[in-house]
C-alpha cells in the first residue's frame, strides 16, 4: 500500500486523531507556560522559576494541586448540569479538533493534510461546534446557583451574539474568495498570495471577533475578576476549575490555527522548498506551526498590553464598528470575484 493510500485508511485516521489530541494537550500546557513567562517579561519580573528549569514543571505542580484539592459542589446547585458542564466544554474542543489540520505532507507535488478527517464544509462545521463551549459556560453558570456566575454567563451571551455575526460574515468572505468551504482548500488557495493581503479589513474583523469569541482580554467580561469574583466559574474547585481554563487555552491554540489557515497561508511554501519528498514531509508542518506560535504569542501579549473593555463598549464595538466593516469586506470580496481578480 502506497503512503497516500495509507493516509486515507480509517484506522490510520483514527491514530492521527489520537496523536493530534495528545499534541493539543501538550500544546495547551506549553501555552500556559508561554503566557506566564511572556507576561513576566512584559511586566519586568521573572515568573515561574523554582519548579524545574525556568519553571517548566510549574504546570505539573499546578495539576497536582488541582487534583488533590477538594471537589466541592454547592448544596443548591443542579448536580447533573454542574458535573456535565466541563465535559461539554471539553467536548467542543474535541469536535473542533476533528476538522482542523495541524499541517500537511507534500509528496510528489500532492498535498495531504494532517487531520483526523477532511470535510467539504469543514469551516462551517468548526464554527458551529465552537459554539458548544458557550452552552457549557451557561451550564456552569446556571447550575452553580450563583448570581456572579449568572451575570458572567449573560455577559458572555451579549458578547457572543454581537461577535458571531461579523465572524461568520468574514468566514463567508474567505470561503467566497477561495471558492470552497473546505478549510484545506482555503489554505491551498492562498498560494502564492495570502488572504491577509487580499482582504486586510476582513483579517482585522476576524481577529478581533475571534479574540472576543475566545474570551481573551480585553474581552473577558464573563470573568472580570474585579467585578464578578471569577464570573461563570466562581463556584468550581479542583480539577473542574482546571478543566474550564484548560479548555480556554486549547481554544487559544485552535483559534490561532484558524487565523493561520484562513489568512496567513497555512502551510504553503515555495515549490522549490518542497520539491524534495523529505523536505515536503517536514517543512510544511514546521512552517505552519511556527506561524501558529507567533500568532499565539501576539494574542498573549495583547492580554497584558490592552485594558479590559466595559460590557457596553464591547457591544458597541461589535454592532457599530465590526459589523459594518465585515459587510464592507464582503462587498469588496464580491467585487473582486466579479472582476475576476
Amino acid at each position: 500500500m502506497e503512503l497516500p493510500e495509507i493516509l486515507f485508511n480509517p484506522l490510520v485516521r483514527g491514530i492521527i486523531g489520537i496523536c493530534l489530541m495528545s499534541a493539543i494537550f501538550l500544546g495547551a500546557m506549553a501555552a500556559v507556560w508561554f503566557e506566564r513567562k511572556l507576561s513576566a517579561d512584559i511586566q519586568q519580573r521573572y515568573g515561574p522559576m523554582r519548579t524545574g528549569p525556568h519553571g517548566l514543571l510549574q504546570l505539573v505542580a499546578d495539576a497536582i494541586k488541582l487534583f488533590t484539592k477538594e471537589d466541592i459542589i454547592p448544596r443548591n446547585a443542579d448536580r447533573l448540569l454542574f458535573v456535565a458542564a466541563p465535559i461539554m466544554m471539553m467536548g467542543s474542543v474535541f469536535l473542533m479538533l476533528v476538522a482542523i489540520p495541524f499541517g500537511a505532507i507534500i509528496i510528489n507535488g500532492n498535498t495531504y493534510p494532517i487531520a483526523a478527517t477532511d470535510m467539504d464544509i469543514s469551516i462551517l462545521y468548526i464554527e458551529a461546534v465552537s459554539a458548544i463551549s458557550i452552552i457549557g459556560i451557561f451550564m456552569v453558570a446556571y447550575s452553580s446557583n450563583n448570581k456572579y456566575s449568572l451575570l458572567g454567563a449573560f455577559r458572555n451571551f451579549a458578547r457572543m451574539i454581537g461577535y458571531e455575526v461579523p465572524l461568520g460574515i468574514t468566514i463567508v468572505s474567505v470561503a467566497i474568495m477561495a471558492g470552497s468551504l473546505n478549510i484545506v482548500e482555503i489554505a491551498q488557495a492562498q498560494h502564492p498570495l495570502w488572504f491577509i493581503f487580499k482582504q486586510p479589513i476582513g483579517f482585522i474583523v476576524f481577529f478581533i471577533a475571534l479574540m472576543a469569541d475566545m474570551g481573551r482580554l480585553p474581552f473577558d467580561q464573563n470573568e472580570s475578576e474585579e467585578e464578578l469574583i471569577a464570573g461563570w466559574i466562581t463556584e468550581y474547585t479542583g480539577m473542574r476549575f482546571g478543566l474550564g481554563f484548560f479548555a480556554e487555552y486549547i481554544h487559544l491554540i485552535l483559534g490561532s490555527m484558524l487565523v493561520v489557515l484562513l489568512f496567513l497561508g497555512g502551510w504553503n511554501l515555495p515549490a522549490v522548498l518542497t520539491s524534495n519528498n523529505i523536505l515536503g514531509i517536514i517543512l510544511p508542518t514546521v512552517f505552519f506551526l511556527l506561524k501558529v506560535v507567533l500568532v499565539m504569542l501576539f494574542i498573549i501579549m495583547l492580554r497584558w498590553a490592552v485594558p479590559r473593555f466595559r460590557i457596553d463598549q464591547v457591544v458597541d464595538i461589535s454592532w457599530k464598528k465590526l459589523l459594518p466593516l465585515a459587510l464592507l469586506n464582503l462587498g469588496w470580496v464580491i467585487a473582486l470575484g466579479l472582476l475576476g481578480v
Side-chain angles (χ1 to χ4, degrees):
M1 185 180 291
E2 297 182 359
L3 180 59
E5 296 177 0
I6 293 175
L7 290 175
F8 287 101
N9 186 288
L11 178 60
V12 174
R13 287 285 187 176
I15 294 173
I16 290 174
I18 295 173
C19 293
L20 295 182
M21 189 182 302
S22 303
I24 201 69
F25 272 97
L26 292 175
M29 294 172 65
V32 175
W33 182 84
F34 269 129
E35 176 140 30
R36 291 187 175 189
K37 298 300 285 187
L38 185 59
S39 64
D41 289 338
I42 292 172
Q43 297 176 350
Q44 295 185 343
R45 55 188 175 85
Y46 288 109
M49 288 294 291
R50 301 192 180 192
T51 48
H54 297 283
L56 288 172
L57 298 179
Q58 182 63 50
L59 194 66
V60 177
D62 289 342
I64 294 172
K65 178 184 71 174
L66 291 172
F67 272 115
T68 54
K69 279 185 174 293
E70 184 179 2
D71 182 20
I72 300 173
I73 299 179
R75 180 180 302 169
N76 296 323
D78 186 318
R79 295 182 67 89
L80 178 60
L81 292 181
F82 194 88
V83 172
I87 301 173
M88 179 73 73
M89 296 179 66
M90 293 302 295
S92 169
V93 169
F94 294 143
L95 289 172
M96 291 177 65
L97 183 62
V98 168
I100 295 181
F102 280 54
I105 297 173
I106 299 177
I107 302 174
N108 298 327
N110 298 317
T111 302
Y112 304 97
I114 302 175
T117 186
D118 188 8
M119 302 181 184
D120 291 336
I121 55 168
S122 54
I123 189 61
L124 293 182
Y125 167 83
I126 292 168
E127 186 182 12
V129 298
S130 67
I132 296 178
S133 63
I134 299 169
I135 300 174
I137 289 177
F138 183 75
M139 290 171 62
V140 169
Y142 177 79
S143 64
S144 297
N145 193 30
N146 181 295
K147 60 182 179 182
Y148 296 111
S149 300
L150 201 57
L151 281 172
F154 284 137
R155 285 185 172 196
N156 193 64
F157 284 158
R159 190 184 68 234
M160 175 201 70
I161 294 171
Y163 285 88
E164 283 290 338
V165 176
L167 186 72
I169 293 174
T170 309
I171 289 175
V172 169
S173 302
V174 170
I176 290 173
M177 182 165 283
S180 174
L181 291 170
N182 187 327
I183 196 167
V184 174
E185 295 179 1
I186 290 173
Q188 292 174 338
Q190 297 177 64
H191 182 75
L193 189 62
W194 299 355
F195 283 171
I196 187 176
F197 300 113
K198 291 186 176 181
Q199 41 178 313
I201 296 177
F203 171 75
I204 294 171
V205 172
F206 179 83
F207 188 81
I208 295 174
L210 183 68
M211 287 275 291
D213 198 47
M214 293 188 298
R216 297 286 304 180
L217 267 166
F219 298 101
D220 67 334
Q221 287 73 26
N222 55 342
E223 297 167 13
S224 34
E225 297 89 345
E226 297 88 346
E227 306 166 40
L228 303 178
I229 307 178
W232 60 280
I233 205 166
T234 296
E235 296 292 350
Y236 274 66
T237 60
M239 204 56 207
R240 297 187 203 278
F241 178 89
L243 281 176
F245 278 99
F246 205 59
E248 285 192 4
Y249 277 98
I250 298 178
H251 274 287
L252 167 64
I253 297 174
L254 298 181
S256 301
M257 288 182 174
L258 288 178
V259 172
V260 174
L261 288 167
L262 297 183
F263 288 97
L264 301 182
W267 50 77
N268 288 304
L269 282 167
V272 66
L273 294 178
T274 56
S275 56
N276 183 289
N277 283 341
I278 296 177
L279 294 179
I281 292 174
I282 299 172
L283 283 185
T285 302
V286 171
F287 187 53
F288 172 75
L289 294 178
L290 178 61
K291 287 191 282 188
V292 170
V293 170
L294 292 176
V295 172
M296 280 177 52
L297 292 179
F298 181 71
I299 292 174
I300 291 172
M301 183 192 69
L302 285 178
R303 173 175 181 175
W304 306 99
V306 182
R308 177 187 290 121
F309 296 136
R310 296 194 314 267
I311 185 62
D312 62 307
Q313 293 174 327
V314 171
V315 174
D316 284 347
I317 290 172
S318 62
W319 291 110
K320 296 181 180 179
K321 296 180 175 61
L322 291 189
L323 181 57
L325 288 175
L327 293 173
L328 176 64
N329 181 70
L330 180 61
W332 167 255
V333 170
I334 293 172
L336 289 180
L338 293 174
L339 294 174
V341 177

